[in-house]
Amino acid sequence: MIGVGKIKQYSNILEKPLSKGKQEVSLSAFAFLFSELVQYNQTRVDNIAELGRRLEDAGYAVGARVLELLCHRDKGNRRETRLLGILSFVHSTVWKVLFGKVADSLEKGTEHEDEYMISEKDLLVNKYISIPKDMGTFNCGAFVAGIVRGVLDGAGFPAVVTAHFVPMEGLQRPRTTILIKFAEEVLQREARLG
Amino acid sequence: MDTNDSLRVASLWHLMHAISQQLSPTTGCSEIELLEADTFDLHIFQSLTGTKLFVVCEPGTQHMEALLKVIYELYTDYVLNNPFYETKIPIRCELFDINLTQAIQKDRVALLGR
């Protein structure tokens, strides 16, 4: 019979099902591309804060798309409405898809009600990067902070997300912490929902 | 040796290397790989791109070529992927230094059999 065993041809690219895609990408290729991203932005800014902001904006675009993709692919088009729900989504699912493992820890800030921290001993984007001494506290993890901000914003939880180095005893290199500070309206909504 | 001295010695070597390529007594020989002297040995590794790595060690040390290959890998990983490194300036990458000392310690431990 003609046509048996033939792959179904789609007339329109929009009708093709979303594939899982390649699960693995070369780490060297990514490190090289990311290093070029940082260098490209470095030549176009005047100060370090601006560089951090640009990296964050780049990450924001990634975060928005990752949220859409994961909601469709892994969660069956359901969306999170609770704070802890979206935080554990970021901490496990998003991290697993982007970096191949869940984040090291998720903690609630002790000083303020609206602060949460995701910590990682060795952030993948920082794996091959050594910050020179004269750049102070700049962290290329600002890219990852941007991704988290993109995911949270897209899900309806506006927040300010920053990346910090936290020195730890017993570890040669400082730990990286992504600090998430939620907007007032998120906390009010959370309180209303009980 | 401070940075200026290293740069001076390295450029000396680059010159010697270029001259030796022309003067080689055996045919089909491309470059110097090992320089043996009374008090030290100098091993050279040249990558496909022309980057040269040197190791100065005590005379008679074994397995230097393997060590040089490992160092070359570390160089490509931690120096070339670093966005804050510009080519042709002395390397000041923290991660590269840490991993380099680790590799040499591992090598030393393996050699001494301890």
Side-chain angles (χ1 to χ4, degrees):
Chain A
M1 277 178 274
I2 307 167
V4 163
K6 222 173 132 181
I7 305 168
K8 186 168 174 205
Q9 299 291 333
Y10 292 98
S11 57
N12 191 349
I13 192 169
L14 291 173
E15 288 169 20
K16 269 176 143 173
L18 261 182
S19 63
K20 263 292 191 175
K22 269 206 177 130
Q23 301 291 329
E24 286 181 358
V25 173
S26 152
L27 178 60
S28 310
F30 171 72
F32 195 54
L33 183 64
F34 186 67
S35 143
E36 277 307 306
L37 179 73
V38 176
Q39 281 179 48
Y40 176 82
N41 284 317
Q42 219 179 352
T43 52
R44 281 162 177 72
V45 297
D46 302 318
N47 54 52
I48 297 188
E50 184 70 28
L51 180 62
R53 221 187 336 259
R54 285 214 181 193
L55 279 183
E56 250 202 69
D57 288 341
Y60 186 85
V62 176
R65 288 159 176 79
V66 157
L67 175 70
E68 291 299 330
L69 186 65
L70 288 183
C71 272
H72 173 79
R73 203 190 268 171
D74 288 338
K75 284 159 50 85
N77 287 326
R78 313 213 6 230
R79 74 182 181 93
E80 297 286 341
T81 46
R82 304 308 302 263
L83 197 70
L84 281 182
I86 191 72
L87 277 175
S88 60
F89 172 68
V90 167
H91 169 269
S92 352
T93 319
V94 175
W95 236 254
K96 191 109 212 296
V97 162
L98 290 179
F99 306 123
K101 58 187 256 302
V102 300
D104 281 347
S105 68
L106 170 65
E107 292 153 8
K108 188 164 156 47
T110 43
E111 292 151 42
H112 303 279
E113 272 303 306
D114 51 356
E115 280 183 2
Y116 289 82
M117 294 167 296
I118 296 183
S119 307
E120 184 82 33
K121 236 185 343 203
D122 194 9
L123 206 55
L124 193 81
V125 303
N126 279 344
K127 190 156 191 233
Y128 297 127
I129 299 182
S130 332
I131 313 276
K133 297 285 186 297
D134 53 353
M135 294 210 101
T137 51
F138 175 67
N139 190 342
C140 288
F143 183 68
V144 178
I147 295 181
V148 174
R149 188 165 70 94
V151 172
L152 290 175
D153 246 3
F157 293 83
V160 172
V161 189
T162 45
H164 304 276
F165 278 126
V166 174
M168 298 270 292
E169 327 93 46
L171 278 182
Q172 213 167 24
R173 300 190 68 204
R175 209 169 59 150
T176 311
T177 299
I178 312 279
L179 183 66
I180 306 170
K181 197 172 167 72
F182 285 103
E184 193 54 44
E185 55 192 18
V186 175
L187 297 168
Q188 285 171 358
R189 186 177 67 207
E190 195 66 21
R192 259 205 321 274
L193 286 172
Chain B
M1 280 209 306
D2 72 330
T3 338
N4 284 334
D5 285 339
S6 334
L7 285 173
R8 220 169 283 139
V9 168
S11 48
L12 241 183
W13 176 257
H14 187 74
L15 207 63
M16 274 212 320
H17 179 96
I19 297 177
S20 68
Q21 269 186 325
Q22 306 291 326
L23 287 180
S24 162
T26 56
T27 50
C29 187
S30 60
E31 63 199 20
I32 305 183
E33 274 181 2
L34 169 59
L35 178 79
E36 281 173 356
D38 288 334
T39 47
F40 69 93
D41 269 358
L42 178 72
H43 292 258
I44 299 101
F45 171 76
Q46 186 174 27
S47 72
L48 289 168
T49 54
T51 314
K52 297 179 195 46
L53 297 175
F54 305 77
V55 162
V56 179
C57 52
E58 285 186 14
T61 335
Q62 304 291 321
H63 309 300
M64 279 297 119
E65 292 91 49
L67 180 67
L68 278 169
K69 283 206 176 57
V70 166
I71 296 179
Y72 181 55
E73 251 185 64
L74 291 179
Y75 170 73
T76 52
D77 277 345
Y78 294 105
V79 176
L80 297 178
N81 278 336
N82 194 1
F84 305 109
Y85 168 73
E86 296 147 43
T87 48
K88 305 203 190 329
I89 62 168
I91 297 174
R92 270 185 210 101
C93 304
E94 198 188 314
L95 275 176
F96 179 63
D97 295 330
I98 293 174
N99 285 74
L100 186 63
T101 38
Q102 268 179 3
I104 298 186
Q105 297 286 21
K106 220 187 320 181
D107 196 66
R108 197 181 298 165
V109 165
L111 273 181
L112 295 175
R114 268 190 235 140

